Amino acid sequence: MARRNREPDPDEVAAYNEAVREQEEYEETVRRRKRNKRIVIGTLCTLLVLALAAAGVTTWFVGRVSSNIERIPGAFDIPDEQRPPAAGGDAVTFLLGGLDGPDEVDVYEPGAARTDTIMLAHFPDGRDHGYLVSIPRDTYVEVPGHGENKINAAYSLGGPSLFVRTVEQLTDIRVDHLALIDWNGFEQLTDELGGVTLTFDEPTVLADDTTLPPGRHTLDGEQALQYVRERKDLPAGDFDRVKRQQNYLRGLMHELLSAGTFTDFGTMNGLTEAVGQAARVDEDLGAFDMARLGMSMRNLRAEDMTFLTVPTDGTGWAGEQSIVVYDAARADVLWQALKADDMDSYLADNPDLVTGQQVN
């Protein structure tokens, strides 16, 4: 996407500083009324949901982010009878797609790009926890109107609405919002934050063939991009890349929630530009919706997110295509558990699906 970098306007700086002051006064009032109940901003359903839920300076920040982010037209142009019923209560579900073409996020063109990253981020009623479920790109599923195919082909064949419909048909969960992510945009976001710190317990190979030794590393934007893109030299290929992407997002959350991130105007100004570089969202997610979403997630912490991968049954072949075999029996139980807010028992029975803290 085209960059929008510009010098901060003095009036914006003054408005931002005033918003910070008001927020600090508000937080002091909250501390007096509610011991130890600090307002911690947001979550991720990735970068986007975290950033939109960000900081107490909701009016200024959300307004800037909303104006910077481009919209996805027609994401939900699907007959209502072909969609799952809406979730009860205040649960919300985001579908995240990371595209693979050179101009991947700007405009949909048939066949121009596929969704090489697919994540379903679900926040139950009450918003005290979040779950981010990755679906490997080569998972072989039914694409409505196109027969069986790899799930990443849905966007290429029919654009955002077919992508949404395919995931809804697979999961029987209604998608409330869609975000299309450009991993290149995460490079700028990482640099704006001063890097993302990750710890490795063994040598870690990046996509540019460099190797990081064991230990604690603060990855700059380029290193982070090479970390999430590597696949060929990983023992489990795309399965391991999925875990790397989740691990990076978890590290990004910690950086975004760190002290000082939302009280420095220069950092905030850079973040709003970087968010616009990294993602587009559906037309139904307006500035008011972003602010409301942020308020509803104000007590959600980074450690309240659980990252996991949908159950699969190894790899196989469909004609000449190498595919990931979808484990429908276990996956159906997962989707039901998400809808019923019964994930604790499901995860206790399926600990192998959870991405741990140590990902090389």
Side-chain angles (χ1 to χ4, degrees):
M1 288 183 287
R3 295 174 67 95
R4 304 180 180 79
N5 292 331
R6 60 179 178 83
E7 291 298 319
D9 184 276
D11 292 337
E12 286 185 342
V13 176
Y16 175 79
N17 289 335
E18 177 64 17
V20 171
R21 184 190 64 77
E22 292 176 354
Q23 177 63 19
E24 288 173 346
E25 291 179 356
Y26 169 73
E27 288 178 346
E28 179 58 31
T29 301
V30 172
R31 280 193 290 270
R32 287 198 300 266
R33 293 178 179 176
K34 299 181 180 181
R35 292 175 302 169
N36 300 325
K37 189 174 182 180
R38 60 192 180 94
I39 296 180
V40 184
I41 320 314
T43 178
L44 165 99
C45 19
T46 100
L47 149 79
L48 185 64
V49 178
L50 178 63
L52 300 184
V57 290
T58 305
T59 302
W60 182 89
F61 185 62
V62 170
R64 281 294 306 277
V65 171
S66 179
S67 64
N68 275 354
I69 295 178
E70 296 183 27
R71 295 306 197 259
I72 306 165
F76 298 105
D77 287 350
I78 308 168
D80 199 61
E81 63 271 15
Q82 295 178 3
R83 305 189 66 196
D90 202 29
V92 63
T93 300
F94 277 75
L95 175 59
L96 312 174
L99 304 183
D100 66 356
D103 299 312
E104 54 269 62
V105 176
D106 286 342
V107 179
Y108 166 69
E109 295 180 7
R114 293 188 173 210
T115 47
D116 267 13
T117 300
I118 301 168
M119 300 177 178
L120 198 69
H122 180 77
F123 303 90
D125 192 14
R127 310 286 170 81
D128 60 348
H129 206 96
Y131 303 93
L132 192 144
V133 185
S134 290
I135 304 174
R137 63 176 191 168
D138 292 338
T139 305
Y140 204 61
V141 301
E142 181 75 22
V143 177
H146 297 271
E148 290 186 308
N149 208 327
K150 294 180 180 182
I151 193 169
N152 71 343
Y155 181 89
S156 177
L157 292 169
S161 62
L162 184 60
F163 178 42
V164 170
R165 188 180 171 201
T166 299
V167 173
E168 287 189 337
Q169 178 176 281
L170 183 71
T171 64
D172 197 35
I173 293 175
R174 191 181 184 99
V175 172
D176 298 299
H177 295 291
L178 171 67
L180 296 179
I181 298 168
D182 176 3
W183 284 108
N184 290 309
F186 278 73
E187 180 178 351
Q188 180 185 349
L189 180 66
T190 301
D191 287 335
E192 291 290 348
L193 289 169
V196 169
T197 300
L198 301 175
T199 301
F200 309 122
D201 63 0
E202 61 184 51
T204 298
V205 179
L206 306 184
D208 60 3
D209 293 328
T210 60
T211 300
L212 300 176
R216 183 180 175 88
H217 296 272
T218 298
L219 276 58
D220 63 23
E222 175 62 23
Q223 289 175 313
L225 187 63
Q226 299 303 324
Y227 175 71
V228 300
R229 279 184 165 173
E230 171 58 16
R231 173 175 60 92
K232 294 181 179 179
D233 290 331
L234 300 179
D238 198 50
F239 293 103
D240 283 344
R241 180 169 67 168
V242 164
K243 292 181 180 180
R244 280 192 173 196
Q245 292 169 348
Q246 294 177 342
N247 193 45
Y248 165 75
L249 291 175
R250 179 163 46 206
L252 183 69
M253 290 177 66
H254 284 291
E255 299 295 342
L256 280 168
L257 294 173
S258 66
T261 299
F262 295 110
T263 57
D264 178 83
F265 180 84
T267 299
M268 287 290 291
N269 194 51
L271 286 176
T272 60
E273 300 289 349
V275 169
Q277 294 292 317
R280 294 173 70 204
V281 298
D282 63 88
E283 295 175 307
D284 294 340
L285 189 62
F288 175 78
D289 302 295
M290 294 179 187
R292 188 163 58 88
L293 180 67
M295 287 302 296
S296 74
M297 294 180 178
R298 64 188 180 276
N299 292 322
L300 199 66
R301 295 160 173 81
E303 58 267 26
D304 295 327
M305 288 294 297
T306 298
F307 295 83
L308 63 156
T309 302
V310 72
T312 58
D313 193 19
T315 59
W317 293 89
E320 297 183 355
Q321 291 189 95
S322 175
I323 64 168
V324 171
V325 180
Y326 183 65
D327 188 341
R330 290 180 72 196
D332 286 349
V333 180
L334 164 62
W335 306 131
Q336 288 297 324
L338 270 180
K339 290 193 295 183
D341 193 15
D342 189 28
M343 286 296 291
D344 287 346
S345 59
Y346 180 83
L347 294 175
D349 293 337
N350 299 273
D352 58 302
L353 302 179
V354 179
T355 299
Q357 296 291 327
Q358 189 57 246
V359 179
N360 294 303

